[in-house]
Amino acid sequence: LKCWARRSRPVMHCLLRHGRWLDVAASPKGRAAIARAVAVMSGSATAGLLAAQSARGASAGPGASAASAVRCCGVGGGTGGAAVPGVAMGGRRGAGSLAPAAAFSGREVEKPSTDYREYRHEHLPNGMQVMVVSDERCDKAAAALSVGVGSLLDPKEVPGLAHFCEHMLFLGTKKYPQEDEYNEHLAKNGGASNAYTAESVTNYYFGVKPEALGSALDRFSQFFVSPLFTESATERELKAVDSEHSKNLQQDGWRQSQLMRDAVSPDHPLNHFMTGNSETLRDIPAKQGIDVRTALLDFHTQYYSANLMKVTLVGRETPEELLDMARSYFSAVPNRSATVPSDAEIGRGIEPFPPERLGRVVHVVPVSDIRSASFQFVMPGQKAEWRSKPTQYLAHLIGHEGKGSLLTALKCRGLATELSAGGALDEAGVHVFAVSIMLTEAGEADIGTVGDLLFAYVRLLREAGPDDRLWHEMKVLGDLGFKFRSLPDSVSTASGIAHGLQEHDPDVVLSVGSLLWEYRPEKINELSEFLCCDKLRLVLSSKAHASLCDQEERWYGTKFSDKPLDTSSRERWQVAGSFEDLALPAPNPFVPENFDLKLAAGAQPLFPERLVSTAVDIAYPQNKSVITSYFRKDEVFGLPKAACAFVLYCPFCLDSVEHRMLAELWCMAVQEELNEFSYDASCAGVSYSLQATSSGMIISFGGYDDKLPRLLTEVAGKMAGLAEVPEQTYAITRAILERNLTNAAVRSPPYSQGFMFEQCMLRRPAHRLEDRLEALKGIGREQLAGINRKLLDHCHIECLLQGNLTADESQGLIRSFLEPLGVSRPLDVLPESGSLPLPSGWTLLEREGTNPDERNGAAIVTLQVGEYGLDDKCLVDLVSQVLGQRFFDELRTKQQLGYIVSASSFGEPQGFVGLRMVVQSERPPREVLSRVRAWAEESWGFADQMTEDEFAEYRAALVSQLRERPKSLNEEFGLNWAEVASRNLDFGSQDAEANRLESLTLGDLRRFVAEKLRAAPALCTLVRPPGVAEDIEPAPPNFDRRWSPEEVEAYRKSGPWRLRDAAIRRDSAEGLARSRL
């Protein structure tokens, strides 16, 4: 995940766009990494949003300050969501703090060079601040409203009240009292919504088809005019908040963030429980005679005032028309002249970290199998320093991974595998600067030397002083990143601006996250003095600390100890010496220099086309090409950037799970060997990713086209030349891979484990995590010798190139990649892969979860409607459009089965289409399954009850979604790469589906439901919490079969697999001509 977030934006976007991220977003760190990747890809200055598949009403994640919070990515369909654990870390992701809002400056909004949109802002008569974004090309309108209040202003007696208030606003207003009116209206108009509660900001937002912006605003604005807060909804939604907290219990990010807050002085607002649960929102208030519904009303009345609100509208209307809409819908929001403290004022003069609470070491027993050290330095809040961002300078240098870096020194001594640095908290006048290090066993045993190296590097920074060259390089890269940033989608734009306006003037709200305006070396020097033992909280996490931990945190049950830092460590670190291998970063050779846009002769095709590569003919004469390539020159986004990806089909990987693990380990070794080199590239906006799959490898590149060839050539050369993996590299990569597999196998959430069980039944090739882990344990370094040739000698490659490239340049890149690899035996046919049809009727898989501390189980019902075809894909997507919100409303909002609830369609080219329903719940999985089946049986009559007008509404909403155009080169590349990687090659599939939908009728939908959906074979996967015996659960519903793992394996061996097209289309002129025939 770290690798993807840093280097593989196109592949990541492919995963996200096609809903496949669920299997890899099992951990809070993973979700944070994904959200950061999306933020980079979308170009959002202040927020990375995963709004498409989000769960309603989360609170801002641990360590996520208002400036750096990332949004949650749950599985539920519909509204709400929020920040998840994790913050922007590392040198290239260093903290960029935000400042308190000031009066309008009157200056124009600073925006990227390719941003054609018009921005206008004003204050409404009620004091609400408005910014509108007029986008004549808009195919998805959006709106967001932020309130300048968050969990820091929870009443001390009712922790979690701000978060609870956010949940409640979705559940009916005086004008629209029906609880699901808002989300049902969005579903009928191709929209979705979300919200999050951060420390100092609560943000609500939605997207909808442009024609429905006014009607959606009419419903949305009533949240802030006349919410109902009904008693029945209050009681039900409290269970949702409690379920959300239950979901977070097994996530280390939330647990350690709470420990950080508990370390603050008890009377300071930072010492609080953010999300709330049934204890804080029901039990404790009841004992104190507090009516929580009254407290909700009082909180809303006190703080939900127009003068604390910022609203953003994005639409295709003119700026004045959008401003008129804002005036029309939001002028009725009452202005109660509310006041809230800001920044250090929030602390009311209470010192957050008095001296006795610093200079301490905290031992923690984590949920995951990790060894880590987090050196957390407490310093003054940095929100006022947004123009100079001094902590970003420190984060860039300490978090650097190139030659002479702290991480390289730690790796060379076998002490660490990963390092990140940056702001972990910036609220209430407190900034926590964290240097987080993933340790090896040797590093865990020698934390003293780890500290020696860290404090030696800090001493180096102090003695060298701020470096003008380094700061200027950071500024140049920030300027370039902003100037050539892709435009974010409308929902990201609206939400990011609404949040940013709480802390910035409108003219810098887009640029504040990217640009450096002032060089203040004295401020850098001042803050470096806080990187000392007197300001330190050292958090050491390991399973081995169980015997040391004599305390238990109240809300998450984390085992920990908190003691003064021992005198010997303090003394040695205060006088840390110098190390010859530590040095400041050298000039970055990847800073781009050529930004010319390549001109094309004539109009370019709308979609990628096969590339007849003369470079390939030269490299592989006599029509023995090993590559099939596709190319599209960009004429839409106008940026000096390109993206390309190569999939290598290697029979070696399919031979056994052991061979797949050898390939995985070798791919990680290649990346580790290139890390110092590629880190500079990633800082400069040029990145790559290399990953092994069950059928081969995927290599992707992206960034400024000026420097792309150099990176591509270096990666190909390392792949060709790494015949023997060095001992140090082997130790690092083996430790990372084993840790990641162990945590995925044991600590994945129940719904994720259910997906894995399903995939291992219905996909080929597929390997269980447990089998991969077992195979890895049997691999030694000597077995990696010569693996590069076993992978590369006998393979076939397919690739896609897009962006600011000519056809000749693309051929040159292909040749630069191919020639070093030295493929000697081209494949005649691709390795076999495919999908398995379900047997008729209902099949039950019951499995025990692997996390002994997990209280939740999961139920997943997958209906396999039929083989992939255009009509069935259209109709199952339409069913999902109609029923997805209804499923969420009934099982999540009304029945309160759990926080993670979703129903959505799926379609696998050359596979099957269908409908999948997911619920993760503390209720017994069999009971949950019974309720899902009962809902389905009752809901299948929806088409018979639907009117022609309703059908037309839902159809138009889906057509509108399908016709949304990609907003960035990376998004377009991700869509096209999905077609190449799946070998479907239907680049215009969304347009084809939209066109076909327009000719389908209500009668077609009714026949589809009656003849296919009702009769569809179903796979029900239940994951029960460990230790819960089957016989204490209700009897499972009626099933045609209940399969053990052995029976599943027998079906896989005998089943009628639907195999993917394995024919090879070659790139030589003769091969291309033959493929056309």
Side-chain angles (χ1 to χ4, degrees), residues 885-1050:
Q885 170 57 29
R886 299 183 188 183
F887 182 81
F888 182 88
D889 180 62
E890 177 61 32
L891 298 181
R892 160 70 161 75
T893 305
K894 293 186 171 67
Q895 296 190 31
Q896 286 296 325
L897 289 186
Y899 182 71
I900 294 176
V901 175
S902 93
S904 59
S905 58
F906 64 87
E908 306 158 355
Q910 303 185 52
F912 299 90
V913 298
L915 191 70
R916 181 177 288 115
M917 294 165 277
V918 181
V919 178
Q920 180 170 294
S921 174
E922 290 189 69
R923 302 270 185 92
R926 290 181 180 178
E927 177 190 337
V928 174
L929 178 58
S930 295
R931 295 196 186 199
V932 171
R933 289 191 67 172
W935 175 87
E937 290 167 4
E938 183 178 331
S939 298
W940 290 161
F942 79 95
D944 295 328
Q945 301 163 12
M946 183 179 286
T947 66
E948 289 286 353
D949 288 344
E950 288 174 327
F951 173 80
E953 272 188 314
Y954 283 110
R955 182 180 62 185
L958 182 55
V959 168
S960 174
Q961 289 176 312
L962 290 167
R963 287 190 171 147
E964 290 177 27
R965 299 267 69 91
K967 304 303 185 292
S968 67
L969 173 63
N970 281 323
E971 184 180 353
E972 182 183 284
F973 181 87
L975 290 170
N976 291 332
W977 176 246
E979 295 297 324
V980 174
S982 68
R983 309 199 85 241
N984 194 45
L985 302 177
D986 187 1
F987 298 111
S989 58
Q990 291 193 182
D991 287 334
E993 184 176 348
N995 293 337
R996 179 63 181 130
L997 268 167
E998 290 183 323
S999 64
L1000 293 176
T1001 66
L1002 178 57
D1004 294 324
L1005 178 63
R1006 287 171 175 167
R1007 281 189 295 274
F1008 175 79
V1009 172
E1011 298 172 7
K1012 293 195 172 182
L1013 188 60
R1014 287 182 180 273
L1019 176 64
C1020 302
T1021 307
L1022 303 185
V1023 181
R1024 65 177 184 276
V1028 176
E1030 292 183 37
D1031 55 8
I1032 70 170
E1033 288 195 41
N1038 293 329
F1039 284 90
D1040 296 281
R1041 63 196 64 82
R1042 180 183 177 188
W1043 276 351
S1044 66
E1046 294 75 20
E1047 289 169 313
V1048 168
E1049 188 58 33

Side-chain angles (χ1 to χ4, degrees), residues 662 665-666 669 673 722-734 776-787:
L662 283 168
L665 199 52
W666 180 80
E673 285 286 294
L722 191 62
E724 184 172 338
V725 176
E727 181 65 44
Q728 177 186 310
T729 299
Y730 169 76
I732 290 171
T733 54
R734 167 68 182 264
L776 177 65
K777 291 178 179 178
I779 293 175
R781 185 173 72 94
E782 64 282 355
Q783 292 170 264
L784 289 169
I787 290 298

Side-chain angles (χ1 to χ4, degrees), residues 59 107 179 278-279 364 416 434 451 456 471 526 589 637 671 704 807 810 833 862 895 916 1028 1040:
S59 72
R107 295 187 295 271
E179 287 184 6
S278 59
E279 186 179 355
V364 178
W471 187 88
E526 176 188 324
F637 303 106
Q671 292 182 94
Y704 295 105
S810 295
S833 63
T862 298
Q895 296 190 31
R916 181 177 288 115
V1028 176
D1040 296 281

